[in-house]
Amino acid sequence: MVKKVLLFFLVLGWVSGGRAQYWTIHVDQSGSSDFKTIQSAIDSVPSNNSNWVCISIKPAIYMEQVTISYDKQYIYLKGEGNINEEKASIVWGSSGGLRSSPTFTCLADNIKVENLNFVNSYNYPPITKSSYPTIPAVAARVNGDKMAFYNCGFYGMQDTLFDAMGRHYFKHCIIEGAIDFIFGAGQSIFEECRIVVNVGKSLEEGDTGSITAQGRSGANDSNAFVFKNCNVTGNGKAILGRPWRDYSRVIFFNSSLSDIIVPPGWDSWFCGNHVDQLTFAEINCYGPGSNTSNRVAWEAQLSQEMTDYFVNITNFIDVDQWVSNQPL
Ligand SMILES: *[C@@H]1O[C@H](CO)[C@@H](O)[C@H](O)[C@H]1NC(C)=O
Ligand SMILES: *[C@@H]1O[C@H](CO)[C@@H](O)[C@H](O)[C@H]1NC(C)=O
Ligand SMILES: *[C@@H]1O[C@H](CO)[C@@H](O)[C@H](O)[C@H]1NC(C)=O
Ligand SMILES: *[C@@H]1O[C@H](CO)[C@@H](O)[C@H](O)[C@H]1NC(C)=O
Ligand SMILES: *[C@@H]1O[C@H](CO)[C@@H](O)[C@H](O)[C@H]1NC(C)=O
Ligand SMILES: *[C@@H]1O[C@H](CO)[C@@H](O)[C@H](O)[C@H]1NC(C)=O
């Protein structure tokens, strides 16, 4: 049995060169390529697809709501061009529902996304005071397991990134918003990301924003948001997070926090009578917003062992090495 498994991996390794191979289809609004819209390219992927397919997207603004349904796994969405050039952006301005408003919805497992912007243009870009009522307006709903985002931007005001469920890895991404703008029950590491708070430009004078609203609902659930080597900047005032569900977990590790973070750091929201069930922690953070001497008394202190578990990608999200096996 052991030998058979080993042989299988050797053969696979030989065929794929260690990393998954893929074929590529192209999206270009000019019509000179395979597809004019991102959705039509996704729709062309066969149901129950099991081979990686790259959808290569020419930089432009795509005004469409895009969905990757449950049966379209192994899609690699890739914005063309150098990371310093203008990225392809998917823009839509729906608001209200957490399931109906997202500009981008991904329900499938095994997805890689690179070099793309997701914008919910309802109340974004921010102007002084919200032009419309402050209600949910999601830029991306990430609902599948084993999804990785590299060099992507998520832009909105309230509920920008619905990191709903599944294991996710975000690297070199920008996430912008004012209220609960990274929320859900995802099991995620955000590494070297920029978190941009836009409270001063979006909300009423004196309002405090919240970066996270993590949604862990059970004592044994594996999800949490881990921010590793990130930078928090912006305008106005904000807390690092508040619990969307009873067992919420958020960890800021080795991250730079600007003076927009208010001294209490966190809020108990409607979990005030059982703050002991929450795990909100800061480890080795630095910058003017990182002074923890006036933090809420119930901020968690993590052991070295727990810290090593959460901040190590292998331990927390990649035991089965899906991150390192996605196509390059
Ligand atoms: C895809 O897989 C599902 C579940 O296994 C199955 O019900 C469905 O018929 C399949 N679809 C196609 C087009 O093969
Ligand atoms: C965070 O800020 C520092 C200092 O400005 C910079 O060197 C670093 O590259 C930034 N990191 C990210 C992830 O933006
Ligand atoms: C959580 O896990 C512990 C230890 O395995 C178990 O005793 C407990 O019943 C579980 N709780 C729930 C809500 O599943
Ligand atoms: C902490 O962040 C700094 C600056 O981004 C980086 O140079 C250093 O390697 C990080 N340390 C760890 C343990 O990740
Ligand atoms: C942190 O804040 C406390 C209370 O305001 C202050 O006494 C202390 O000097 C601050 N520490 C640093 C390193 O700035
Ligand atoms: C992360 O965890 C894995 C598995 O437990 C371990 O092999 C690796 O050395 C750890 N990496 C770091 C940087 O501690």
Side-chain angles (χ1 to χ4, degrees):
M1 182 59 195
V2 171
K3 270 187 189 155
K4 264 189 195 161
V5 170
L6 193 63
L7 185 66
F8 174 75
F9 279 109
L10 283 177
V11 169
L12 200 71
W14 176 255
V15 172
S16 68
R19 286 276 193 166
Q21 302 293 291
Y22 54 85
W23 83 85
T24 300
I25 53 180
H26 294 269
V27 180
D28 179 351
Q29 288 176 337
S30 75
S32 65
S33 148
D34 303 327
F35 298 96
K36 280 177 150 179
T37 66
I38 297 166
Q39 189 65 56
S40 59
I42 292 168
D43 291 344
S44 78
V45 174
S47 183
N48 297 340
N49 174 51
S50 61
N51 297 308
W52 281 96
V53 48
C54 175
I55 298 177
S56 184
I57 302 164
K58 195 142 188 134
I61 293 172
Y62 294 82
M63 303 285 282
E64 48 176 320
Q65 237 175 338
V66 173
T67 298
I68 301 182
S69 54
Y70 290 100
D71 59 328
K72 308 268 172 150
Q73 291 196 49
Y74 301 103
I75 288 176
Y76 173 10
L77 285 182
K78 184 182 192 178
E80 285 169 26
N82 184 291
I83 63 164
N84 299 314
E85 290 167 12
E86 199 66 25
K87 287 193 194 33
S89 294
I90 309 177
V91 181
W92 199 252
S94 189
S95 62
L98 296 181
R99 280 154 200 249
S100 60
S101 72
T103 301
F104 174 64
T105 299
C106 182
L107 305 173
D109 298 344
N110 292 303
I111 302 291
K112 176 174 176 175
V113 186
E114 189 178 328
N115 217 25
L116 278 179
N117 286 336
F118 302 96
V119 182
N120 189 311
S121 60
Y122 177 86
N123 281 332
Y124 188 91
I127 47 170
T128 311
K129 309 274 187 289
S130 305
S131 35
Y132 301 108
T134 302
I135 53 174
V138 178
R141 173 180 163 212
V142 182
N143 210 96
D145 190 28
K146 303 192 233 181
M147 294 190 61
F149 291 84
Y150 299 89
N151 194 39
C152 289
F154 301 88
Y155 301 94
M157 204 272 259
Q158 179 174 342
D159 297 347
T160 307
L161 175 57
F162 187 5
D163 187 7
M165 58 185 283
R167 290 169 295 166
H168 307 145
Y169 182 50
F170 298 86
K171 189 166 192 191
H172 295 152
C173 292
I174 298 177
I175 306 147
E176 200 170 309
I179 304 173
D180 303 336
F181 64 94
I182 306 173
F183 77 107
Q187 181 171 337
S188 300
I189 292 186
F190 299 84
E191 187 167 15
E192 291 173 38
C193 291
R194 283 171 52 204
I195 314 298
V196 181
V197 176
N198 259 320
V199 169
K201 291 181 182 163
S202 309
L203 301 181
E204 297 294 332
E205 189 74 31
D207 279 354
T208 302
S210 182
I211 296 172
T212 65
Q214 209 275 338
R216 181 168 175 261
S217 58
N220 293 343
D221 295 355
S222 59
N223 62 89
F225 293 164
V226 176
F227 296 89
K228 178 179 179 181
N229 307 346
C230 292
N231 281 356
V232 174
T233 59
N235 53 71
K237 292 291 175 193
I239 51 172
L240 296 167
R242 55 182 186 168
W244 189 32
R245 295 288 185 258
D246 291 344
Y247 293 86
S248 186
R249 299 197 294 195
V250 179
I251 290 136
F252 280 84
F253 172 78
N254 193 40
S255 293
S256 158
L257 308 180
S258 87
D259 61 3
I260 61 158
I261 300 302
V262 293
W266 311 91
D267 186 73
S268 59
W269 210 1
F270 48 78
C271 293
N273 60 351
H274 48 78
V275 289
D276 54 310
Q277 294 172 357
L278 307 173
T279 306
F280 289 162
E282 290 165 83
I283 300 144
N284 290 345
C285 290
Y286 56 97
S290 68
N291 186 337
T292 55
S293 57
N294 288 320
R295 288 289 193 259
V296 292
W298 45 270
E299 180 172 66
Q301 306 298 322
L302 291 190
S303 63
Q304 186 62 48
E305 193 189 356
M306 284 309 280
T307 304
D308 290 344
Y309 169 70
F310 281 119
V311 307
N312 181 325
I313 292 167
T314 310
N315 294 337
F316 184 52
I317 58 171
D318 199 26
V319 175
D320 48 355
Q321 298 193 310
W322 64 269
V323 175
S324 35
N325 285 323
Q326 284 196 335
L328 282 175

